[in-house]
Amino acid sequence: MKLPLLLHAASLCGAIGCLLSCTGSTGNVPSGDIPSMPLRAPYENTLEYAWSQKTVSDSRLLSDMEAMDPWTHRGYGDLSLSTDNPYQGKASLLLTSPTKGESTPPDGRPWGVASAIYRVDGEDWTDWNRLSFRIYPDLPGFKVVSISLVFHNDGEDKVPDSYGRNGLNYQVLENHTWNTVYWEIAHLGREKVSAVEIRYRLQGNEPGAAETARYYIDDLYLEKVDADHFEGWNVAPGQIAYNHAGYATGYPKLAFTPDASVETFRLKDVETGKVVLEAPVATQSTPTGDFRVMDFSRVDSKGTYLLEAGGLRTKPFLIDHFAAVYRSSIIKTINHFYTQRCGYAVEGVHDACHLDWVSTHNDRMVSIHGGWHDAGDLSQGLVNTAEAAYAMLLLAGKLKTSDEALADRLLEEARWGVDWMLKTRFGDGFRNVWATKDMWTDNIIGSEDDFASRAQNSPHANLVSATTEAIAFLLFKDRDPDFARYALASAIEDYAFGIDIDERRMNVELAGAALNAALALYEATGDETYKAPAVSYADYIVRCQQQADLDEGVALKGFFYRNPSKETILHYPHRSHEQDAVVGLAKLANLFPSEAGEWKKALQLYADFYKETAAANAPYYMLPAGIYDLTQARDEVENEQIRNGIQLNDRYYLKRFPVWTSFRGNSGTTLTQAKGLSVVAACLGDEELKQIVYRALDWHLGLNPFAQSLMYGEGYRYAGQYSVTSGNLVGGLPVGIQTHFNRDQPYWPAENCYNWKEIWVHPSCRWLMLMHDFV
């Protein structure tokens, strides 16, 4: 099957971009100025604010908390009526719980829960689509507090689902004040409702904070509102989908409107109020549906603009060169990492934390506070840390002459990550690769809240570390020669540990990591002995590629298998490293152009594959998950997910989203693919491919079906993320948009749950990698 390339002709014209930043206000960040961190997001730009402004067409009071019935308690603590602090009336419900259990936490996770459960006798709530209630947290000393909600439905559409995710919603709250919580439930089965649960998780407390959590709860309502769009490719009604940060020179400038009746759109200069372009709204038929497209690529003048189409209007955005458009997102991504620092006091987020956290190796141990918390929990991961520091180092090198202040700030944050990498290695191949910690601790080694990680000797972790350490040498050799020498010595050792791989364990991911590490050391040392293994790893990667037509009637090729046997196609459902193989091939081809024939052929095949398959997701051009082999499905769930893709023949299907189980969300996969393809585009001089890659940035900043920016604090209509211990952090990206059950279309409901809405450093470091390629 040949998929048509559906790039809109005008979208390949020049484009420009904009910068919208939040530095505690809605003002722009001037060039050269780095705001103090942590940054704060304007509340009026959040999706939560938009919910608070919705018209309630009907409501039904479920409980005014003047009596206990039908409330019950489950888990730790106690549930009672209290007259101490009602929102209104004479009483409120009081949920109390210790912050810790009595024993060592299970595997680094919370001790348990304390729940207030509103029992329902199988009622049909289909006509209602929102819950709201008031809640007052009283947790002295806590900088961030949260609560979780669980919806229970015993009808045909079971809620929560089998993975315990759908129907679970986490809400960050303001301490010591009454909060109003809104939860739109239009996406949930609710024809036989059995309960609504308000739940506190026992996640410890920092030293000096309260050891008892108290939540006053009042006025639980069912409501009818105009619910947010939550599934499908179509644009959210009442919204224009556009890139909230803007459009950079040389790239497409497109926006989509859901209004089928509107015939023209207008682009207005915000400063002058003048209409700079009035043009027809085009209809574009694509594999994902019919879309109403506004193309303003012809406008090249720098400025602040907004779009109008019918009765809809966007917020302001700028048109400028790429560095001006995306500088704000770079600063905010740095802020995300800064606020995730472990062992460091971050104002309003946490004190110096986890000083009692260690990793053990035989009879030795090292302290592992430092680096960055990995995600919405407080865990630590070496590979994500190494890749984030690598991205910061490369981007700093790119910006050192054009934006010295930003380059210096990137180096400062990268140094924080590299220091942690070096201090958590044992020097014999073992190091702290992963440590789960989903709670605050007392910072005292030997107390009951301790949970030590066990060091591992991971070839992949050592190779990724070697690459970052070698790059750190290059960036710091003039700034801090002693640190640079230590980083390089560690890189040389870690590379040797990493390539000590049993042949049976070798795969394309490891070959890509080994290739990049060898080339980084080649550049850092000038030692020619690194060239031969680099070439060998490159040849291995080429042998993993599908270079002939896949099958009869399926002319697609250029993707990779896990190893040269070509039995299993390379896929990632969650954390992806697909970029490593092609980034390494491109770098090798640039270093040794006279020998690059086969490597460039492989890169061209890879580029052609994605140029053809990305058209299946027009007009967004979201990079697809790839080709799936039905004969490789492990169970009926995988079988159904594959069959819901685009059928190529009886055996092969093209999937827009990965085949996955509970770990869902595709920012980590699509931004990783985009990183690899941006490097390939530069190596091949392929402008068409670069245009497609750019669309991944559009998608994440608002040009998606939900018209939401996925980066918290950048643009508008950004949703709260699962970051319940550290709060909503400006610059954070979530794991990403997922699918509902086994379908293969975007799903982004108004609830906040791990893993798909969980803040995660993995997509954030991919964002910085892409900034390096585009700036």
Side-chain angles (χ1 to χ4, degrees):
M1 172 185 176
K2 185 172 179 59
L3 295 168
L5 187 63
L6 293 172
L7 279 171
H8 195 271
S11 73
L12 295 179
C13 302
I16 357 187
C18 83
L19 170 67
L20 292 170
S21 68
C22 61
T23 62
S25 68
T26 57
N28 292 343
V29 179
S31 179
D33 183 25
I34 306 298
S36 60
M37 299 179 184
L39 303 177
R40 299 286 182 251
Y43 176 66
E44 64 269 19
N45 290 342
T46 66
L47 198 59
E48 185 177 354
Y49 174 78
W51 294 337
S52 74
Q53 300 302 299
K54 286 192 175 185
T55 299
V56 178
S57 61
D58 197 5
S59 65
R60 171 187 161 193
L61 179 64
L62 294 176
S63 176
D64 59 7
M65 282 62 170
E66 299 298 313
M68 280 296 296
D69 187 59
W71 289 93
T72 61
H73 172 258
R74 181 173 67 87
Y76 284 82
D78 184 51
L79 183 68
S80 62
L81 285 180
S82 172
T83 58
D84 293 341
N85 186 25
Y87 177 74
Q88 61 182 10
K90 297 180 179 179
S92 60
L93 209 60
L94 175 60
L95 177 66
T96 61
S97 173
T99 61
K100 301 178 182 179
E102 299 81 13
S103 58
T104 301
D107 300 326
R109 296 296 184 185
W111 282 269
V113 302
S115 293
I117 303 174
Y118 179 83
R119 300 290 182 185
V120 183
D121 189 18
E123 291 185 14
D124 185 351
W125 287 1
T126 304
D127 289 339
W128 306 94
N129 59 18
R130 190 167 86 170
L131 289 165
S132 73
F133 64 95
R134 313 283 184 170
I135 186 165
Y136 185 107
D138 181 18
L139 289 84
F142 274 68
K143 296 176 174 61
V144 176
V145 296
S146 64
I147 203 77
S148 63
L149 315 172
V150 188
F151 195 82
H152 296 269
N153 184 67
D154 290 334
E156 183 177 351
D157 185 359
K158 298 290 185 183
V159 182
D161 65 358
S162 59
Y163 301 121
R165 306 290 206 269
N166 210 42
L168 182 58
N169 184 27
Y170 286 83
Q171 178 73 40
V172 174
L173 304 171
E174 186 177 349
N175 206 0
H176 304 305
T177 192
W178 281 103
N179 298 253
T180 304
V181 174
Y182 305 100
W183 183 14
E184 292 187 5
I185 56 174
H187 61 293
L188 297 175
R190 52 198 188 279
E191 79 281 16
K192 193 177 180 181
V193 178
S194 58
V196 175
E197 181 178 356
I198 301 173
R199 176 190 288 177
Y200 167 72
R201 290 204 303 174
L202 282 66
Q203 292 182 276
N205 57 275
E206 293 192 271
E211 296 184 357
T212 299
R214 294 159 58 89
Y215 290 89
Y216 296 92
I217 306 164
D218 214 341
D219 287 358
L220 176 63
Y221 277 92
L222 269 177
E223 297 174 338
K224 291 182 184 180
V225 296
D226 186 5
D228 286 354
H229 176 48
F230 59 84
E231 185 175 23
W233 295 98
N234 57 300
V235 176
Q239 301 294 330
I240 293 175
Y242 68 106
N243 186 323
H244 299 177
Y247 301 83
T249 303
Y251 297 98
K253 294 195 288 291
L254 303 174
F256 309 141
T257 174
D259 190 344
S261 65
V262 66
E263 295 183 356
T264 61
F265 73 93
R266 298 191 298 175
L267 181 70
K268 274 188 173 181
D269 186 307
V270 171
E271 185 174 347
T272 66
K274 292 182 179 179
V275 176
V276 298
L277 175 68
E278 185 165 1
V281 177
T283 298
Q284 187 176 352
S285 295
T286 77
T288 60
D290 293 338
F291 289 83
R292 301 285 285 160
V293 180
M294 296 175 280
D295 188 337
F296 50 104
S297 299
R298 71 187 79 171
V299 179
D300 292 332
S301 301
K302 297 177 182 179
T304 304
Y305 297 89
L306 58 79
L307 288 165
E308 292 179 340
L312 301 180
R313 169 188 281 201
T314 69
K315 297 282 190 177
F317 56 88
L318 296 179
I319 289 181
D320 211 324
H321 58 89
F322 187 93
V325 174
Y326 284 92
R327 188 175 192 267
S328 172
S329 74
I330 295 171
I331 290 171
K332 290 168 185 172
T333 302
I334 297 170
N335 179 79
H336 171 210
F337 282 97
Y338 171 78
T339 51
Q340 293 272 35
R341 284 187 180 188
C342 179
Y344 182 92
V346 181
E347 182 185 356
V349 180
H350 58 71
D351 293 324
C353 56
H354 301 119
L355 305 183
D356 49 357
W357 204 358
V358 298
S359 182
T360 61
H361 173 43
N362 295 330
D363 58 349
R364 296 182 291 165
M365 69 173 62
V366 294
S367 173
I368 58 171
H369 67 270
W372 303 292
H373 297 144
D374 182 79
D377 58 14
L378 302 168
S379 299
Q380 286 275 28
L382 174 71
V383 172
N384 281 342
T385 298
E387 290 185 328
Y390 164 87
M392 294 174 194
L393 291 166
L394 288 184
L395 183 54
K398 189 81 171 283
L399 293 172
K400 64 181 179 181
T401 57
S402 62
D403 195 337
E404 185 177 359
L406 185 52
D408 286 347
R409 184 63 187 85
L410 284 161
L411 285 177
E412 176 189 350
E413 202 61 35
R415 175 68 183 263
W416 180 263
V418 176
D419 280 343
W420 182 82
M421 292 168 56
L422 296 176
K423 86 167 192 174
T424 56
R425 61 192 298 273
F426 286 89
D428 59 355
F430 283 81
R431 60 198 314 155
N432 180 67
V433 174
W434 179 258
T436 298
K437 186 69 80 174
D438 200 3
M439 65 194 68
W440 301 117
T441 64
D442 60 12
N443 288 341
I444 300 171
I445 296 176
S447 62
E448 287 187 341
D449 62 9
D450 292 355
F451 182 80
S453 75
R454 183 174 295 177
Q456 302 172 50
N457 186 350
S458 162
H460 184 252
N462 279 317
L463 290 168
V464 172
S465 297
T467 302
T468 300
E469 291 155 354
I471 300 298
F473 165 77
L474 292 171
L475 270 294
F476 281 98
K477 62 182 179 180
D478 297 325
R479 287 174 171 256
D480 189 339
D482 291 337
F483 168 73
R485 280 192 294 270
Y486 180 34
L488 181 59
S490 299
I492 292 169
E493 289 183 353
D494 290 341
Y495 173 76
F497 297 138
I499 62 173
D500 185 16
I501 307 169
D502 187 314
E503 182 68 26
R504 293 169 296 181
R505 294 182 61 194
M506 177 57 75
N507 57 52
V508 69
E509 178 180 279
L510 286 172
L515 170 58
N516 284 290
L519 293 177
L521 283 165
Y522 176 85
E523 290 189 304
T525 65
D527 188 342
E528 288 285 335
T529 60
Y530 289 106
K531 178 184 175 182
V535 170
S536 176
Y537 293 125
D539 291 345
Y540 181 95
I541 291 169
V542 171
R543 288 189 286 119
C544 293
Q545 188 178 44
Q546 178 71 33
Q547 295 200 333
D549 289 354
L550 176 60
D551 204 354
E552 184 177 350
V554 184
L556 293 170
K557 52 184 172 288
F559 56 89
F560 289 96
Y561 293 84
R562 290 200 61 80
N563 56 51
S565 70
K566 297 183 179 178
E567 295 173 355
T568 304
I569 298 172
L570 181 68
H571 294 124
Y572 291 94
H574 188 55
R575 190 177 79 174
S576 172
H577 302 285
E578 184 177 331
Q579 87 287 356
D580 272 343
V582 293
V583 167
L585 290 179
K587 189 170 187 178
L588 192 64
N590 291 332
L591 285 171
F592 308 108
S594 64
E595 306 170 45
E598 287 300 311
W599 308 327
K600 281 200 166 184
K601 175 186 173 183
L603 294 175
Q604 187 64 63
L605 288 170
Y606 187 76
D608 291 344
F609 172 74
Y610 276 108
K611 283 195 288 187
E612 185 162 1
T613 57
N617 293 336
Y620 302 101
Y621 290 89
M622 184 195 80
L623 294 168
I627 292 175
Y628 283 76
D629 183 349
L630 193 61
T631 67
Q632 297 283 312
R634 293 174 296 183
D635 53 38
E636 283 303 311
V637 169
E638 288 195 359
N639 187 291
E640 183 178 347
Q641 289 189 29
I642 293 172
R643 288 184 182 275
N644 281 334
I646 300 170
Q647 186 172 8
L648 304 175
N649 65 10
D650 289 343
R651 179 176 177 180
Y652 295 106
Y653 289 73
L654 178 67
K655 284 278 294 167
R656 293 180 164 109
F657 287 85
V659 169
W660 42 27
T661 54
S662 61
F663 277 54
R664 297 183 175 218
N666 75 338
S667 288
T669 58
T670 58
L671 290 176
T672 299
Q673 292 165 314
K675 167 58 188 178
L677 290 167
S678 68
V679 172
V680 172
C683 181
L684 300 178
D686 191 332
E687 186 61 25
E688 181 186 350
L689 181 62
K690 197 70 173 282
Q691 302 272 357
I692 293 173
V693 173
Y694 181 83
R695 301 299 295 278
L697 307 180
D698 279 342
W699 174 273
H700 281 81
L701 295 185
L703 192 53
N704 56 57
F706 313 104
Q708 296 179 26
S709 172
L710 303 187
M711 180 179 287
Y712 194 85
E714 179 72 340
Y716 312 99
R717 287 174 48 79
Y718 35 83
Q721 297 173 352
Y722 177 83
S723 181
V724 295
T725 47
S726 301
N728 288 311
L729 306 177
V730 168
L733 283 170
V735 175
I737 290 173
Q738 62 146 326
T739 59
H740 195 25
F741 301 129
N742 297 326
R743 300 197 274 268
D744 198 32
Q745 61 181 359
Y747 179 60
W748 193 245
E751 67 185 18
N752 180 11
C753 186
Y754 49 84
N755 297 89
W756 50 288
K757 269 193 182 171
E758 184 170 2
I759 196 170
W760 196 24
V761 299
H762 178 76
S764 294
C765 72
R766 267 52 180 169
W767 189 266
L768 293 179
M769 289 177 181
L770 284 164
M771 295 300 102
H772 167 268
D773 297 342
F774 278 89
V775 166

